Amino acid sequence: MGDTEDGIKLKKTVFVTVGTTCFDALVRAVDTREVKDEFLKRGYTHLIIQMGRGSYTPTKSGGDDGSLAVDFFTFSSSIADHLRSASLVISHAGSGSIFETLRLGKPLIVVVNEDLMDNHQSELAEELAERKHLYCARPQTLNQTIAAMNLESLLPYPPGNAIPVAKLINRFLGFPDD
């Protein structure tokens, strides 16, 4: 199960992040047997969950019995290393988390927190999913999204061009255009 290199199973990690929020519904969803089994079917070996302010504690596992190795933490000064080493990222719909993951070229499933009022984040996630840069799910549909996803179909997100914004700021500050 999973890719091997000289007979050694390669580490394939799913990193889940909820940012600084409480998003127990997402943490609970990735902690279900169905989702963990789907990860194993797809060759993932490790699940790391950044659970933020949540009160739900996922089940840790060493993965010694062929199961998924699961670990979690609340906060970190930087999740950049986790994002870089992930084979798949599952994130809340915060724009910072979304764009940092896309900038790194990592496959991404964004899970919308339906408990937030006036949830403009869902609009961003759904628009980027429509453009095929990521997958968008709800906690209750996460397992189906994972089962149906084809990571090869995702399109790279083109980095933005900051020059027009910089020129506008320079003009506002009274600097000449270059």
Side-chain angles (χ1 to χ4, degrees), residues 70-103:
V70 180
D71 200 2
F72 62 87
F73 61 94
T74 53
F75 297 103
S76 174
S77 58
S78 172
I79 62 168
D81 288 340
H82 292 290
L83 289 173
R84 274 193 289 278
S85 64
S87 303
L88 172 66
V89 176
I90 299 176
S91 174
H92 68 119
S95 59
S97 297
I98 291 173
F99 287 115
E100 187 173 357
T101 303
L102 292 175
R103 184 181 56 77

PDB file of all heavy atoms in Angstrom, residues 70-103:
ATOM      1  N   VAL A  70      -1.351   9.068  13.366  1.00  0.00           N
ATOM      2  CA  VAL A  70      -2.080  10.318  13.606  1.00  0.00           C
ATOM      3  C   VAL A  70      -1.437  11.062  14.768  1.00  0.00           C
ATOM      4  O   VAL A  70      -1.180  10.493  15.825  1.00  0.00           O
ATOM      5  CB  VAL A  70      -3.569  10.052  13.945  1.00  0.00           C
ATOM      6  CG1 VAL A  70      -4.309  11.358  14.191  1.00  0.00           C
ATOM      7  CG2 VAL A  70      -4.234   9.243  12.835  1.00  0.00           C
ATOM      8  N   ASP A  71      -1.180  12.354  14.546  1.00  0.00           N
ATOM      9  CA  ASP A  71      -0.683  13.224  15.609  1.00  0.00           C
ATOM     10  C   ASP A  71      -1.406  14.561  15.482  1.00  0.00           C
ATOM     11  O   ASP A  71      -1.965  14.878  14.433  1.00  0.00           O
ATOM     12  CB  ASP A  71       0.830  13.419  15.494  1.00  0.00           C
ATOM     13  CG  ASP A  71       1.452  13.880  16.805  1.00  0.00           C
ATOM     14  OD1 ASP A  71       0.728  14.013  17.821  1.00  0.00           O
ATOM     15  OD2 ASP A  71       2.670  14.118  16.816  1.00  0.00           O
ATOM     16  N   PHE A  72      -1.389  15.349  16.563  1.00  0.00           N
ATOM     17  CA  PHE A  72      -2.083  16.639  16.540  1.00  0.00           C
ATOM     18  C   PHE A  72      -1.398  17.619  17.467  1.00  0.00           C
ATOM     19  O   PHE A  72      -0.621  17.238  18.341  1.00  0.00           O
ATOM     20  CB  PHE A  72      -3.564  16.478  16.915  1.00  0.00           C
ATOM     21  CG  PHE A  72      -3.786  15.942  18.298  1.00  0.00           C
ATOM     22  CD1 PHE A  72      -3.842  16.795  19.400  1.00  0.00           C
ATOM     23  CD2 PHE A  72      -3.948  14.583  18.508  1.00  0.00           C
ATOM     24  CE1 PHE A  72      -4.046  16.309  20.675  1.00  0.00           C
ATOM     25  CE2 PHE A  72      -4.150  14.085  19.783  1.00  0.00           C
ATOM     26  CZ  PHE A  72      -4.206  14.950  20.867  1.00  0.00           C
ATOM     27  N   PHE A  73      -1.682  18.896  17.242  1.00  0.00           N
ATOM     28  CA  PHE A  73      -1.214  19.972  18.107  1.00  0.00           C
ATOM     29  C   PHE A  73      -2.203  21.119  18.000  1.00  0.00           C
ATOM     30  O   PHE A  73      -3.014  21.163  17.082  1.00  0.00           O
ATOM     31  CB  PHE A  73       0.213  20.407  17.745  1.00  0.00           C
ATOM     32  CG  PHE A  73       0.371  20.945  16.347  1.00  0.00           C
ATOM     33  CD1 PHE A  73       0.291  22.307  16.088  1.00  0.00           C
ATOM     34  CD2 PHE A  73       0.610  20.083  15.277  1.00  0.00           C
ATOM     35  CE1 PHE A  73       0.439  22.809  14.794  1.00  0.00           C
ATOM     36  CE2 PHE A  73       0.756  20.568  13.986  1.00  0.00           C
ATOM     37  CZ  PHE A  73       0.678  21.938  13.750  1.00  0.00           C
ATOM     38  N   THR A  74      -2.142  22.048  18.968  1.00  0.00           N
ATOM     39  CA  THR A  74      -3.085  23.167  18.952  1.00  0.00           C
ATOM     40  C   THR A  74      -2.564  24.305  18.082  1.00  0.00           C
ATOM     41  O   THR A  74      -3.203  24.704  17.126  1.00  0.00           O
ATOM     42  CB  THR A  74      -3.385  23.674  20.375  1.00  0.00           C
ATOM     43  OG1 THR A  74      -2.154  23.965  21.026  1.00  0.00           O
ATOM     44  CG2 THR A  74      -4.191  22.663  21.162  1.00  0.00           C
ATOM     45  N   PHE A  75      -1.396  24.839  18.438  1.00  0.00           N
ATOM     46  CA  PHE A  75      -0.836  25.975  17.714  1.00  0.00           C
ATOM     47  C   PHE A  75       0.652  25.764  17.485  1.00  0.00           C
ATOM     48  O   PHE A  75       1.297  24.995  18.185  1.00  0.00           O
ATOM     49  CB  PHE A  75      -1.037  27.288  18.499  1.00  0.00           C
ATOM     50  CG  PHE A  75      -2.468  27.647  18.683  1.00  0.00           C
ATOM     51  CD1 PHE A  75      -3.102  27.442  19.897  1.00  0.00           C
ATOM     52  CD2 PHE A  75      -3.200  28.193  17.641  1.00  0.00           C
ATOM     53  CE1 PHE A  75      -4.432  27.765  20.069  1.00  0.00           C
ATOM     54  CE2 PHE A  75      -4.533  28.522  17.804  1.00  0.00           C
ATOM     55  CZ  PHE A  75      -5.150  28.303  19.027  1.00  0.00           C
ATOM     56  N   SER A  76       1.184  26.499  16.523  1.00  0.00           N
ATOM     57  CA  SER A  76       2.608  26.485  16.230  1.00  0.00           C
ATOM     58  C   SER A  76       2.968  27.895  15.775  1.00  0.00           C
ATOM     59  O   SER A  76       2.138  28.598  15.181  1.00  0.00           O
ATOM     60  CB  SER A  76       2.902  25.485  15.113  1.00  0.00           C
ATOM     61  OG  SER A  76       4.240  25.553  14.709  1.00  0.00           O
ATOM     62  N   SER A  77       4.205  28.302  16.047  1.00  0.00           N
ATOM     63  CA  SER A  77       4.614  29.638  15.600  1.00  0.00           C
ATOM     64  C   SER A  77       4.612  29.726  14.081  1.00  0.00           C
ATOM     65  O   SER A  77       4.466  30.795  13.508  1.00  0.00           O
ATOM     66  CB  SER A  77       5.988  29.990  16.168  1.00  0.00           C
ATOM     67  OG  SER A  77       6.934  29.016  15.769  1.00  0.00           O
ATOM     68  N   SER A  78       4.757  28.584  13.423  1.00  0.00           N
ATOM     69  CA  SER A  78       4.707  28.555  11.962  1.00  0.00           C
ATOM     70  C   SER A  78       4.274  27.174  11.498  1.00  0.00           C
ATOM     71  O   SER A  78       4.798  26.164  11.985  1.00  0.00           O
ATOM     72  CB  SER A  78       6.081  28.879  11.368  1.00  0.00           C
ATOM     73  OG  SER A  78       6.048  28.668   9.975  1.00  0.00           O
ATOM     74  N   ILE A  79       3.320  27.151  10.579  1.00  0.00           N
ATOM     75  CA  ILE A  79       2.911  25.867  10.012  1.00  0.00           C
ATOM     76  C   ILE A  79       3.567  25.634   8.650  1.00  0.00           C
ATOM     77  O   ILE A  79       3.278  24.652   7.980  1.00  0.00           O
ATOM     78  CB  ILE A  79       1.378  25.747   9.901  1.00  0.00           C
ATOM     79  CG1 ILE A  79       0.809  26.812   8.967  1.00  0.00           C
ATOM     80  CG2 ILE A  79       0.725  25.774  11.273  1.00  0.00           C
ATOM     81  CD1 ILE A  79      -0.643  26.579   8.592  1.00  0.00           C
ATOM     82  N   ALA A  80       4.480  26.521   8.278  1.00  0.00           N
ATOM     83  CA  ALA A  80       5.105  26.450   6.948  1.00  0.00           C
ATOM     84  C   ALA A  80       5.782  25.108   6.700  1.00  0.00           C
ATOM     85  O   ALA A  80       5.654  24.544   5.606  1.00  0.00           O
ATOM     86  CB  ALA A  80       6.099  27.594   6.766  1.00  0.00           C
ATOM     87  N   ASP A  81       6.494  24.574   7.687  1.00  0.00           N
ATOM     88  CA  ASP A  81       7.165  23.282   7.494  1.00  0.00           C
ATOM     89  C   ASP A  81       6.154  22.162   7.281  1.00  0.00           C
ATOM     90  O   ASP A  81       6.375  21.269   6.463  1.00  0.00           O
ATOM     91  CB  ASP A  81       8.066  22.954   8.696  1.00  0.00           C
ATOM     92  CG  ASP A  81       9.307  23.829   8.733  1.00  0.00           C
ATOM     93  OD1 ASP A  81       9.678  24.400   7.684  1.00  0.00           O
ATOM     94  OD2 ASP A  81       9.913  23.942   9.821  1.00  0.00           O
ATOM     95  N   HIS A  82       5.045  22.216   8.015  1.00  0.00           N
ATOM     96  CA  HIS A  82       4.006  21.200   7.833  1.00  0.00           C
ATOM     97  C   HIS A  82       3.400  21.296   6.436  1.00  0.00           C
ATOM     98  O   HIS A  82       3.165  20.278   5.794  1.00  0.00           O
ATOM     99  CB  HIS A  82       2.909  21.359   8.890  1.00  0.00           C
ATOM    100  CG  HIS A  82       3.357  21.045  10.279  1.00  0.00           C
ATOM    101  ND1 HIS A  82       3.656  19.768  10.695  1.00  0.00           N
ATOM    102  CD2 HIS A  82       3.574  21.845  11.345  1.00  0.00           C
ATOM    103  CE1 HIS A  82       4.018  19.790  11.961  1.00  0.00           C
ATOM    104  NE2 HIS A  82       3.986  21.044  12.376  1.00  0.00           N
ATOM    105  N   LEU A  83       3.160  22.519   5.977  1.00  0.00           N
ATOM    106  CA  LEU A  83       2.617  22.701   4.629  1.00  0.00           C
ATOM    107  C   LEU A  83       3.587  22.186   3.575  1.00  0.00           C
ATOM    108  O   LEU A  83       3.181  21.493   2.634  1.00  0.00           O
ATOM    109  CB  LEU A  83       2.294  24.172   4.367  1.00  0.00           C
ATOM    110  CG  LEU A  83       1.102  24.758   5.120  1.00  0.00           C
ATOM    111  CD1 LEU A  83       1.018  26.260   4.887  1.00  0.00           C
ATOM    112  CD2 LEU A  83      -0.193  24.073   4.725  1.00  0.00           C
ATOM    113  N   ARG A  84       4.864  22.510   3.732  1.00  0.00           N
ATOM    114  CA  ARG A  84       5.869  22.093   2.738  1.00  0.00           C
ATOM    115  C   ARG A  84       6.014  20.577   2.662  1.00  0.00           C
ATOM    116  O   ARG A  84       6.214  20.021   1.589  1.00  0.00           O
ATOM    117  CB  ARG A  84       7.228  22.717   3.063  1.00  0.00           C
ATOM    118  CG  ARG A  84       7.415  24.108   2.492  1.00  0.00           C
ATOM    119  CD  ARG A  84       8.863  24.551   2.565  1.00  0.00           C
ATOM    120  NE  ARG A  84       9.284  24.840   3.919  1.00  0.00           N
ATOM    121  CZ  ARG A  84       9.062  25.988   4.555  1.00  0.00           C
ATOM    122  NH1 ARG A  84       8.437  26.960   3.945  1.00  0.00           N
ATOM    123  NH2 ARG A  84       9.475  26.162   5.787  1.00  0.00           N
ATOM    124  N   SER A  85       5.914  19.900   3.796  1.00  0.00           N
ATOM    125  CA  SER A  85       6.126  18.452   3.793  1.00  0.00           C
ATOM    126  C   SER A  85       4.850  17.656   3.515  1.00  0.00           C
ATOM    127  O   SER A  85       4.910  16.441   3.353  1.00  0.00           O
ATOM    128  CB  SER A  85       6.745  18.006   5.122  1.00  0.00           C
ATOM    129  OG  SER A  85       5.857  18.258   6.186  1.00  0.00           O
ATOM    130  N   ALA A  86       3.716  18.324   3.422  1.00  0.00           N
ATOM    131  CA  ALA A  86       2.446  17.625   3.204  1.00  0.00           C
ATOM    132  C   ALA A  86       2.296  17.157   1.763  1.00  0.00           C
ATOM    133  O   ALA A  86       2.712  17.832   0.831  1.00  0.00           O
ATOM    134  CB  ALA A  86       1.283  18.541   3.572  1.00  0.00           C
ATOM    135  N   SER A  87       1.666  16.004   1.606  1.00  0.00           N
ATOM    136  CA  SER A  87       1.287  15.505   0.287  1.00  0.00           C
ATOM    137  C   SER A  87      -0.103  15.991  -0.087  1.00  0.00           C
ATOM    138  O   SER A  87      -0.449  16.075  -1.257  1.00  0.00           O
ATOM    139  CB  SER A  87       1.296  13.975   0.282  1.00  0.00           C
ATOM    140  OG  SER A  87       2.560  13.487   0.665  1.00  0.00           O
ATOM    141  N   LEU A  88      -0.910  16.298   0.936  1.00  0.00           N
ATOM    142  CA  LEU A  88      -2.264  16.823   0.769  1.00  0.00           C
ATOM    143  C   LEU A  88      -2.538  17.722   1.962  1.00  0.00           C
ATOM    144  O   LEU A  88      -2.198  17.370   3.090  1.00  0.00           O
ATOM    145  CB  LEU A  88      -3.290  15.681   0.737  1.00  0.00           C
ATOM    146  CG  LEU A  88      -4.776  16.077   0.752  1.00  0.00           C
ATOM    147  CD1 LEU A  88      -5.171  16.811  -0.535  1.00  0.00           C
ATOM    148  CD2 LEU A  88      -5.654  14.835   0.948  1.00  0.00           C
ATOM    149  N   VAL A  89      -3.154  18.882   1.714  1.00  0.00           N
ATOM    150  CA  VAL A  89      -3.533  19.798   2.789  1.00  0.00           C
ATOM    151  C   VAL A  89      -5.050  19.895   2.815  1.00  0.00           C
ATOM    152  O   VAL A  89      -5.695  20.023   1.770  1.00  0.00           O
ATOM    153  CB  VAL A  89      -2.916  21.203   2.589  1.00  0.00           C
ATOM    154  CG1 VAL A  89      -3.407  22.169   3.666  1.00  0.00           C
ATOM    155  CG2 VAL A  89      -1.392  21.127   2.587  1.00  0.00           C
ATOM    156  N   ILE A  90      -5.601  19.811   4.026  1.00  0.00           N
ATOM    157  CA  ILE A  90      -7.021  20.043   4.245  1.00  0.00           C
ATOM    158  C   ILE A  90      -7.089  21.236   5.184  1.00  0.00           C
ATOM    159  O   ILE A  90      -6.508  21.213   6.264  1.00  0.00           O
ATOM    160  CB  ILE A  90      -7.721  18.811   4.844  1.00  0.00           C
ATOM    161  CG1 ILE A  90      -7.603  17.632   3.876  1.00  0.00           C
ATOM    162  CG2 ILE A  90      -9.188  19.130   5.164  1.00  0.00           C
ATOM    163  CD1 ILE A  90      -8.175  16.333   4.400  1.00  0.00           C
ATOM    164  N   SER A  91      -7.772  22.287   4.760  1.00  0.00           N
ATOM    165  CA  SER A  91      -7.729  23.547   5.490  1.00  0.00           C
ATOM    166  C   SER A  91      -9.111  24.134   5.684  1.00  0.00           C
ATOM    167  O   SER A  91     -10.019  23.885   4.895  1.00  0.00           O
ATOM    168  CB  SER A  91      -6.864  24.550   4.705  1.00  0.00           C
ATOM    169  OG  SER A  91      -6.893  25.825   5.306  1.00  0.00           O
ATOM    170  N   HIS A  92      -9.236  24.956   6.722  1.00  0.00           N
ATOM    171  CA  HIS A  92     -10.419  25.807   6.865  1.00  0.00           C
ATOM    172  C   HIS A  92     -10.363  26.811   5.712  1.00  0.00           C
ATOM    173  O   HIS A  92      -9.391  26.862   4.966  1.00  0.00           O
ATOM    174  CB  HIS A  92     -10.419  26.500   8.236  1.00  0.00           C
ATOM    175  CG  HIS A  92      -9.336  27.522   8.402  1.00  0.00           C
ATOM    176  ND1 HIS A  92      -9.589  28.846   8.649  1.00  0.00           N
ATOM    177  CD2 HIS A  92      -7.986  27.421   8.347  1.00  0.00           C
ATOM    178  CE1 HIS A  92      -8.456  29.508   8.749  1.00  0.00           C
ATOM    179  NE2 HIS A  92      -7.465  28.667   8.568  1.00  0.00           N
ATOM    180  N   ALA A  93     -11.377  27.627   5.581  1.00  0.00           N
ATOM    181  CA  ALA A  93     -11.481  28.500   4.409  1.00  0.00           C
ATOM    182  C   ALA A  93     -10.856  29.876   4.605  1.00  0.00           C
ATOM    183  O   ALA A  93     -11.227  30.827   3.922  1.00  0.00           O
ATOM    184  CB  ALA A  93     -12.945  28.636   3.998  1.00  0.00           C
ATOM    185  N   GLY A  94      -9.896  30.000   5.508  1.00  0.00           N
ATOM    186  CA  GLY A  94      -9.207  31.275   5.686  1.00  0.00           C
ATOM    187  C   GLY A  94      -8.325  31.581   4.489  1.00  0.00           C
ATOM    188  O   GLY A  94      -7.588  30.721   4.000  1.00  0.00           O
ATOM    189  N   SER A  95      -8.386  32.815   3.999  1.00  0.00           N
ATOM    190  CA  SER A  95      -7.654  33.168   2.779  1.00  0.00           C
ATOM    191  C   SER A  95      -6.144  32.999   2.941  1.00  0.00           C
ATOM    192  O   SER A  95      -5.466  32.584   2.001  1.00  0.00           O
ATOM    193  CB  SER A  95      -7.996  34.589   2.342  1.00  0.00           C
ATOM    194  OG  SER A  95      -7.666  35.513   3.353  1.00  0.00           O
ATOM    195  N   GLY A  96      -5.598  33.294   4.115  1.00  0.00           N
ATOM    196  CA  GLY A  96      -4.162  33.125   4.328  1.00  0.00           C
ATOM    197  C   GLY A  96      -3.733  31.683   4.147  1.00  0.00           C
ATOM    198  O   GLY A  96      -2.761  31.385   3.446  1.00  0.00           O
ATOM    199  N   SER A  97      -4.456  30.768   4.761  1.00  0.00           N
ATOM    200  CA  SER A  97      -4.141  29.340   4.641  1.00  0.00           C
ATOM    201  C   SER A  97      -4.308  28.857   3.206  1.00  0.00           C
ATOM    202  O   SER A  97      -3.485  28.090   2.692  1.00  0.00           O
ATOM    203  CB  SER A  97      -5.032  28.508   5.566  1.00  0.00           C
ATOM    204  OG  SER A  97      -4.805  28.837   6.906  1.00  0.00           O
ATOM    205  N   ILE A  98      -5.369  29.307   2.557  1.00  0.00           N
ATOM    206  CA  ILE A  98      -5.626  28.886   1.173  1.00  0.00           C
ATOM    207  C   ILE A  98      -4.483  29.329   0.266  1.00  0.00           C
ATOM    208  O   ILE A  98      -3.891  28.516  -0.455  1.00  0.00           O
ATOM    209  CB  ILE A  98      -6.965  29.456   0.659  1.00  0.00           C
ATOM    210  CG1 ILE A  98      -8.141  28.792   1.372  1.00  0.00           C
ATOM    211  CG2 ILE A  98      -7.078  29.289  -0.860  1.00  0.00           C
ATOM    212  CD1 ILE A  98      -9.501  29.416   1.056  1.00  0.00           C
ATOM    213  N   PHE A  99      -4.166  30.633   0.287  1.00  0.00           N
ATOM    214  CA  PHE A  99      -3.171  31.132  -0.667  1.00  0.00           C
ATOM    215  C   PHE A  99      -1.756  30.669  -0.341  1.00  0.00           C
ATOM    216  O   PHE A  99      -0.953  30.456  -1.255  1.00  0.00           O
ATOM    217  CB  PHE A  99      -3.269  32.648  -0.799  1.00  0.00           C
ATOM    218  CG  PHE A  99      -4.493  33.060  -1.570  1.00  0.00           C
ATOM    219  CD1 PHE A  99      -5.505  33.784  -0.959  1.00  0.00           C
ATOM    220  CD2 PHE A  99      -4.654  32.696  -2.898  1.00  0.00           C
ATOM    221  CE1 PHE A  99      -6.647  34.146  -1.668  1.00  0.00           C
ATOM    222  CE2 PHE A  99      -5.789  33.050  -3.610  1.00  0.00           C
ATOM    223  CZ  PHE A  99      -6.793  33.773  -2.993  1.00  0.00           C
ATOM    224  N   GLU A 100      -1.435  30.473   0.934  1.00  0.00           N
ATOM    225  CA  GLU A 100      -0.109  29.945   1.276  1.00  0.00           C
ATOM    226  C   GLU A 100       0.048  28.524   0.740  1.00  0.00           C
ATOM    227  O   GLU A 100       1.084  28.171   0.183  1.00  0.00           O
ATOM    228  CB  GLU A 100       0.100  29.972   2.797  1.00  0.00           C
ATOM    229  CG  GLU A 100       1.508  29.590   3.200  1.00  0.00           C
ATOM    230  CD  GLU A 100       1.787  29.785   4.685  1.00  0.00           C
ATOM    231  OE1 GLU A 100       0.912  30.270   5.427  1.00  0.00           O
ATOM    232  OE2 GLU A 100       2.909  29.445   5.094  1.00  0.00           O
ATOM    233  N   THR A 101      -1.000  27.725   0.865  1.00  0.00           N
ATOM    234  CA  THR A 101      -0.960  26.347   0.365  1.00  0.00           C
ATOM    235  C   THR A 101      -0.878  26.322  -1.159  1.00  0.00           C
ATOM    236  O   THR A 101      -0.070  25.575  -1.735  1.00  0.00           O
ATOM    237  CB  THR A 101      -2.195  25.571   0.853  1.00  0.00           C
ATOM    238  OG1 THR A 101      -2.239  25.627   2.287  1.00  0.00           O
ATOM    239  CG2 THR A 101      -2.147  24.127   0.400  1.00  0.00           C
ATOM    240  N   LEU A 102      -1.688  27.139  -1.830  1.00  0.00           N
ATOM    241  CA  LEU A 102      -1.662  27.181  -3.291  1.00  0.00           C
ATOM    242  C   LEU A 102      -0.313  27.681  -3.808  1.00  0.00           C
ATOM    243  O   LEU A 102       0.195  27.186  -4.820  1.00  0.00           O
ATOM    244  CB  LEU A 102      -2.793  28.060  -3.828  1.00  0.00           C
ATOM    245  CG  LEU A 102      -4.212  27.521  -3.628  1.00  0.00           C
ATOM    246  CD1 LEU A 102      -5.240  28.535  -4.097  1.00  0.00           C
ATOM    247  CD2 LEU A 102      -4.392  26.180  -4.339  1.00  0.00           C
ATOM    248  N   ARG A 103       0.275  28.658  -3.111  1.00  0.00           N
ATOM    249  CA  ARG A 103       1.587  29.190  -3.515  1.00  0.00           C
ATOM    250  C   ARG A 103       2.649  28.089  -3.480  1.00  0.00           C
ATOM    251  O   ARG A 103       3.553  28.044  -4.316  1.00  0.00           O
ATOM    252  CB  ARG A 103       1.991  30.345  -2.592  1.00  0.00           C
ATOM    253  CG  ARG A 103       3.296  31.035  -2.962  1.00  0.00           C
ATOM    254  CD  ARG A 103       3.658  32.153  -2.000  1.00  0.00           C
ATOM    255  NE  ARG A 103       3.750  31.740  -0.618  1.00  0.00           N
ATOM    256  CZ  ARG A 103       4.778  31.064  -0.084  1.00  0.00           C
ATOM    257  NH1 ARG A 103       5.787  30.718  -0.835  1.00  0.00           N
ATOM    258  NH2 ARG A 103       4.783  30.747   1.190  1.00  0.00           N
TER     259      ARG A 103
END
